[in-house]
Amino acid sequence: MTQSFSSSGEAADPEVVFVSRHAQDWQEIAAALPEPGDVAPRIAALGGAAGWILQTFLFLKRRGNDVRLSDSMPSRGIAIVHFDDVGLRSYGLNSFMVVIRADRPVADLCDIQIVQNPRAVNSPRDFFIPYWPQPGLIPRDPARGDRVERVGFVGRSQNLAEAYKDGAFERGLRELGVEFVFRSKEWWDYSDLDVVLGVRDGQESFMDSKPASKLVNSWMAGCPAVLGRESAFEVLRQSDLDFYRVSSVPEALEAIRELKEDPTRYRAMVDNGNARKRDFMADRISEDWEELLAGPVREGYAEWSRQGWVRRIFRFAMRAVRARVIGRSYDR
């Protein structure tokens, strides 16, 4: 049944449009409405905007929601746009703008900002929605049992913290009889991994824009995680079974040694992850989107639609000036 995102049961008004300059390139996928997991390699190859815009469109449309994908701002209604596609020239004065910040700076030019880390909620127009779990994720092969022989960093190798790149970490792993694996392309394949490493460098303000994907995906995969002290992980931490928190290479090696030598601990972390992952399944996150669109977005749109043109233009101008003062560029 088609959803209208209306808490009162009214007809589908306003229109909800997912906007991206790449939308024409995505039309084949959008028209087929596949399960995102079935096209995981294609979504990964299309880049970060596809992960948010195309993937969210697919999940909501497949659930019967009345949403549309376009490469241009709608003449009216609600536009959901990735940060990278918002600029002074592309801003839609006719549309209520919902901008997905992702791991970018604060989105000044928007009516509502969606963030992927609760620490990034800093104003009444900021709303947290978890990022999607990795589509098409292949979990760890159960036949591997409790052994710890392969530790994997899943992501681009340049994002691994520098302290882990000088050879000392790999030498320490070899002494434990463990291999280090960079999974820099097939991010969905955890089948041959036993432990996930997720330690990155970065200023706190930048890390506060990052999602908890490395943790959530480790739960989905059935692999215990050894992670850096990032706020997205800390917000989700309920017990020491959720992940190992490390601040140095020796701490990481000690965590991996403990997992290798203590199968009971290993199994307990896997079982805990199986329980924790339920709150981050795609259907649960789809419900978060539906609640946001039916509630705060629709309410914000109703208030915005009552404003005259002069007030809309004034509000846009003030946000543009603020962005210039801070030094953020929106020339696109």
Side-chain angles (χ1 to χ4, degrees):
M1 180 176 179
T2 300
Q3 301 278 336
S4 67
F5 305 117
S6 171
S7 57
S8 62
E10 298 173 357
D13 182 41
E15 183 180 33
V16 176
V17 183
F18 285 83
V19 180
S20 173
R21 56 185 156 161
H22 305 293
Q24 284 299 320
D25 299 330
W26 303 343
Q27 283 304 320
E28 178 189 350
I29 298 175
L33 273 186
E35 168 64 43
D38 294 338
V39 289
R42 296 182 67 182
I43 291 177
L46 290 170
W52 269 112
I53 297 297
L54 175 59
Q55 195 169 204
T56 306
F57 165 81
L58 290 174
F59 276 121
L60 294 184
K61 189 74 171 178
R62 283 175 58 84
R63 286 168 61 91
N65 291 295
D66 187 12
V67 294
R68 183 165 65 87
L69 182 68
S70 176
D71 61 356
S72 60
M73 294 292 175
S75 59
R76 59 187 295 274
I78 296 166
I80 301 178
V81 193
H82 190 278
F83 179 98
D84 292 350
D85 282 334
V86 178
L88 296 173
R89 282 174 276 186
S90 61
Y91 188 85
L93 282 171
N94 292 327
S95 307
F96 185 77
M97 297 283 288
V98 178
V99 174
I100 298 170
R101 176 182 172 184
D103 56 358
R104 305 294 192 263
V106 173
D108 304 285
L109 303 181
C110 67
D111 298 293
I112 281 180
Q113 176 180 234
I114 293 175
V115 300
Q116 58 189 2
N117 184 326
R119 291 281 181 85
V121 175
N122 294 310
S123 79
R125 63 191 181 109
D126 296 341
F127 293 88
F128 164 68
I129 290 186
Y131 189 50
W132 300 103
Q134 174 62 50
L137 187 146
I138 302 172
R140 181 176 184 268
D141 184 352
R144 296 187 67 80
D146 302 324
R147 57 179 148 159
V148 175
E149 297 176 352
R150 290 167 66 85
V151 172
F153 181 83
V154 183
R156 296 182 178 89
S157 58
Q158 62 265 31
N159 291 335
L160 177 65
E162 288 299 319
Y164 292 77
K165 295 179 180 179
D166 65 1
F169 179 64
E170 291 190 63
R171 287 194 298 273
L173 287 180
R174 284 197 295 271
E175 291 174 3
L176 293 172
V178 177
E179 179 186 1
F180 189 37
V181 179
F182 273 113
R183 186 68 22 99
S184 58
K185 290 186 178 179
E186 296 178 344
W187 297 348
W188 51 89
D189 188 0
Y190 290 75
S191 61
D192 60 344
L193 301 180
D194 303 313
V195 177
V196 171
L197 177 74
V199 185
R200 299 179 287 203
D201 292 324
Q203 295 183 346
E204 183 176 347
S205 58
F206 174 67
M207 300 310 265
D208 283 351
S209 72
K210 289 288 188 180
S213 296
K214 292 190 182 301
L215 174 57
V216 170
N217 289 335
S218 77
W219 290 338
M220 299 282 181
C223 293
V226 176
L227 305 175
R229 294 175 180 266
E230 296 184 22
S231 60
F233 307 146
E234 296 297 325
V235 167
L236 297 184
R237 188 179 178 88
Q238 295 180 357
S239 78
D240 62 1
L241 291 178
D242 286 331
F243 61 93
Y244 278 93
R245 174 199 288 134
V246 301
S247 300
S248 66
V249 168
E251 287 183 5
L253 290 171
E254 176 59 22
I256 294 163
R257 184 198 62 77
E258 183 173 317
L259 284 168
K260 186 175 179 68
E261 296 179 356
D262 188 349
T264 300
R265 167 79 175 180
Y266 188 95
R267 287 193 296 270
M269 292 189 73
V270 172
D271 291 343
N272 176 76
N274 281 331
R276 293 299 312 276
K277 72 182 183 183
R278 296 169 191 158
D279 289 334
F280 301 93
M281 304 294 280
D283 281 347
R284 182 67 188 88
I285 295 175
S286 295
E287 292 172 359
D288 290 343
W289 270 97
E290 290 166 351
E291 291 171 8
L292 179 71
L293 291 169
V297 170
R298 190 176 180 90
E299 293 161 8
Y301 173 83
E303 188 276 330
W304 171 88
S305 64
R306 290 191 291 268
Q307 298 175 2
W309 271 97
V310 172
R311 185 174 177 187
R312 289 186 196 175
I313 293 172
F314 176 76
R315 187 159 67 170
F316 166 73
M318 292 298 294
R319 290 172 180 169
V321 168
R322 179 180 181 276
R324 289 294 193 190
V325 170
I326 294 173
R328 287 195 274 270
S329 174
Y330 288 94
D331 292 332
R332 55 188 175 276

